[in-house]
Amino acid sequence: FIQYLDDRVLHIVQNYLTCPFTDWLMSLLSDKRYLLPVLVVLIPYLAIKQGTRGRRALLVVILAASLTDVVSSRLLKPTFHRLRPYQLEAVKAGQKPGGSFSFPSSHSANVAAAVTGLALYFPRVIPLLTALWLAVSLSRIYLNAHYPTDCLGGLLVGITIAATIWYVVEWSFRRMKRRKKHIGGQGSGVGEQPKTG
């Protein structure tokens, strides 16, 4: 039943949304190189303009996206062993499919991890970040590289990993802050002379 729904959504996207403009746009969104100019602006903005919160957000985003890519590509895809839509077409045509497996979508997982990391620190941008995830995921379906459930699986993986890393980073930051405060409190009395009546 899930495969049937996947096939129906895939059919609708690829047969009713196609035009030269969407061909160009979806190819652009699916190409990770478009993120480079975004990172060139985002990294200094978070690290400098947003202070400590921005630097913690940047740390979470980098760690979450990196770990998500490893987990989705090297652990989950070989485990589930699901063929991509174009690979399945190759098999049906008697050809040998090439490329990596389909579930979950690494594009979707990586973007979801980055989006979650930023959203946990800057909730106001959630609508914009959600739109970005939807656009990237739609591009993978449009290009016949993934099924919708691959993208949903990537979403769950990205959110889970980003939320876990966020919790660890915040816990570590609070513990370090308490420790620094405790040490500062102990040292505040050093060298003071006792008061005399």
Side-chain angles (χ1 to χ4, degrees):
F1 178 70
I2 292 176
Q3 186 64 53
Y4 170 78
L5 290 178
D6 269 341
D7 290 336
R8 292 304 302 165
V9 174
L10 200 68
H11 175 78
I12 291 171
V13 170
Q14 294 179 353
N15 287 275
Y16 295 98
L17 298 181
T18 56
C19 70
F21 174 73
T22 51
D23 288 346
W24 170 82
L25 180 61
M26 295 302 165
S27 296
L28 175 66
L29 289 170
S30 195
D31 188 346
K32 292 182 179 180
R33 289 176 296 182
Y34 86 92
L35 289 173
L36 290 176
V38 176
L39 294 176
V40 168
V41 175
L42 185 63
I43 290 176
Y45 176 75
L46 290 176
I48 300 172
K49 292 291 186 179
Q50 292 299 319
T52 303
R53 182 174 67 156
R55 288 188 285 274
R56 297 205 310 268
L58 186 60
L59 177 62
V60 170
V61 168
I62 292 173
L63 291 177
S66 301
L67 182 58
T68 298
D69 192 62
V70 172
V71 170
S72 61
S73 298
R74 299 187 181 182
L75 178 62
L76 296 178
K77 285 186 178 183
T79 299
F80 287 99
H81 213 266
R82 188 186 196 187
L83 293 179
R84 296 174 184 265
Y86 70 82
Q87 291 173 320
L88 189 58
E89 290 178 3
V91 170
K92 290 178 180 178
Q95 302 169 358
K96 187 177 180 180
S100 62
F101 295 110
S102 188
F103 184 89
S105 165
S106 294
H107 278 73
S108 176
N110 294 340
V111 173
V115 162
T116 302
L118 287 173
L120 286 168
Y121 290 96
F122 305 100
R124 292 182 180 180
V125 297
I126 288 178
L128 178 62
L129 297 176
T130 302
L132 175 62
W133 177 83
L134 286 170
V136 171
S137 298
L138 179 61
S139 75
R140 303 305 289 159
I141 298 169
Y142 184 94
L143 296 174
N144 209 32
H146 284 289
Y147 295 102
T149 49
D150 297 336
C151 297
L152 291 176
L155 174 66
L156 293 176
V157 171
I159 289 176
T160 301
I161 291 177
T164 302
I165 290 178
W166 169 82
Y167 178 82
V168 172
V169 167
E170 288 301 302
W171 176 83
S172 302
F173 179 80
R174 287 193 298 269
R175 185 177 180 182
M176 186 170 55
K177 195 173 181 180
R178 285 196 301 268
R179 187 175 179 182
K180 189 180 293 185
K181 186 177 180 180
H182 178 69
I183 293 173
Q186 285 183 334
S188 61
V190 177
E192 290 184 357
Q193 297 296 326
K195 295 181 181 179
T196 56

